Amino acid sequence: MTHSVAHHRTVANGIKMHYAEAGEGPPVVLIHGFPESWYAWRHQIPVLAKQYRLIVPDLRGYGATEKPAAGYDKRSMANDIRGLMTNLGIEKAAIVGHDRGARVGLRFCKDHPDAVARFAALDNIPTRLLFGTMNASVANASWFFMFQAVRDLPEALIQGREELWLRYLLSSWTYDPGALSDADIAAYVQAYAQPGGLRGPFSDYGAWREDLAQDEVDKEVKLSCPTLALWGAEFEAAKMVDMAAIWRSLADDLTTAPIALAGHLPHEERPTDVNAALQAFLEPWRG
């Protein structure tokens, strides 16, 4: 990573949040997914920071952000991001979210529409639609939703075995199982092996009932901002559904970008293609 990245902490929505910052220009918030941290955007930061002010937080419970016992529903996590933006004097930003970060981003768009210029959702089937299409095949592909939502058991089984767990997930979720280096995996192991490091992701998955209830209330509200749906064309779960149709049902102004030869982590596995898609999508955002 060649572009200068500064790391900060601030109290937002009542929790101490860690975020990275790079570049100048119209603000863009990059929200990581699972099983990642801000580090997931290491290939995007040097490219996008040439044109944009990038704000790259660790979500509630993840990385170097505080790990409270509660508040993992997507409305609370979206409010964390809104609080962070307010602290930084940002009234409106482009929001880019991957996986869990896209769930937070979607809730952010619905709860804070005036604060969103454009929204990019990377490799995500929204919660309401995922559970609404649940069958044996979908459950098999999304087994981790069920397992990681069980209270206490996942931590008991994974504590001290974080590397084995992460290597399995990261290698099975990429088209090229060696796409992430040992150093990349070590960065995630360090984040998840710290005290409380497993609480965030498991609490995040465990909040699915609250997330579904929130999504049900405003399910008829379509996104008014320009929206990009980007996904890895080789990810098993994405192959089971029509990703373009899913996001057309949610957004009036939609661009789609399936990324060839990529699994669930396209921004890490095929960064050149993803960066090009993000640059094209973000280009109209002038701040």
Side-chain angles (χ1 to χ4, degrees), residues 39 42 163 166-167 170-171 177-190 268:
Y39 181 79
R42 63 196 176 281
E163 183 175 354
L166 288 166
R167 278 190 181 276
L170 294 168
S171 64
L180 275 68
S181 70
D182 286 346
D184 294 332
I185 293 173
Y188 292 132
V189 171
Q190 182 180 27
E268 299 201 60

Side-chain angles (χ1 to χ4, degrees), residues 10-17 60 79-85 87:
T10 186
V11 176
N13 195 31
I15 65 168
K16 187 178 288 186
M17 292 191 72
R60 173 183 293 247
N79 287 341
D80 294 342
I81 301 299
R82 188 69 187 94
L84 173 61
M85 288 171 56
N87 286 2

Side-chain angles (χ1 to χ4, degrees), residues 74-243:
K74 299 306 153 294
R75 174 160 289 136
S76 295
M77 295 177 81
N79 287 341
D80 294 342
I81 301 299
R82 188 69 187 94
L84 173 61
M85 288 171 56
T86 298
N87 286 2
L88 299 178
I90 298 171
E91 286 304 313
K92 194 169 199 173
I95 305 294
V96 179
H98 168 252
D99 181 68
R100 309 302 296 180
R103 299 181 197 285
V104 175
L106 180 58
R107 178 45 51 198
F108 186 103
C109 290
K110 292 202 172 188
D111 287 359
H112 309 284
D114 293 340
V116 184
R118 305 176 80 79
F119 173 51
L122 276 59
D123 224 82
N124 177 249
I125 303 170
T127 303
R128 181 176 61 85
L129 299 174
L130 177 70
F131 281 91
T133 59
M134 190 62 69
N135 57 33
S137 296
V138 174
N140 186 63
S142 54
W143 62 269
F144 51 93
F145 269 83
M146 318 307 168
F147 170 66
Q148 292 174 175
V150 175
R151 188 179 300 276
D152 297 331
L153 181 63
E155 293 95 324
L157 295 175
I158 292 168
Q159 187 105 39
R161 304 180 180 89
E162 292 86 359
E163 183 175 354
L164 175 64
W165 171 63
L166 288 166
R167 278 190 181 276
Y168 175 80
L169 292 175
L170 294 168
S171 64
S172 64
W173 285 354
T174 47
Y175 179 74
D176 172 4
L180 275 68
S181 70
D182 286 346
D184 294 332
I185 293 173
Y188 292 132
V189 171
Q190 182 180 27
Y192 285 85
Q194 65 180 299
L198 299 175
R199 181 184 306 134
F202 299 145
S203 298
D204 182 3
Y205 279 91
W208 66 269
R209 292 176 182 83
E210 293 169 89
D211 297 339
L212 276 177
Q214 292 168 7
D215 290 350
E216 190 65 26
V217 170
D218 55 15
K219 65 182 179 182
E220 303 300 332
V221 177
K222 297 187 76 172
L223 302 184
S224 57
C225 63
T227 302
L228 169 68
L230 181 154
W231 64 91
E234 298 299 328
F235 186 46
E236 181 183 4
K239 288 181 173 182
M240 293 181 175
V241 297
D242 186 336
M243 291 288 278

Side-chain angles (χ1 to χ4, degrees), residues 9 16-18 37-38 58 62-67 191 194:
R9 280 196 172 102
K16 187 178 288 186
M17 292 191 72
H18 162 256
S37 66
W38 78 272
D58 282 333
Y62 289 82
T65 288
E66 190 175 343
K67 298 155 181 59
Q194 65 180 299

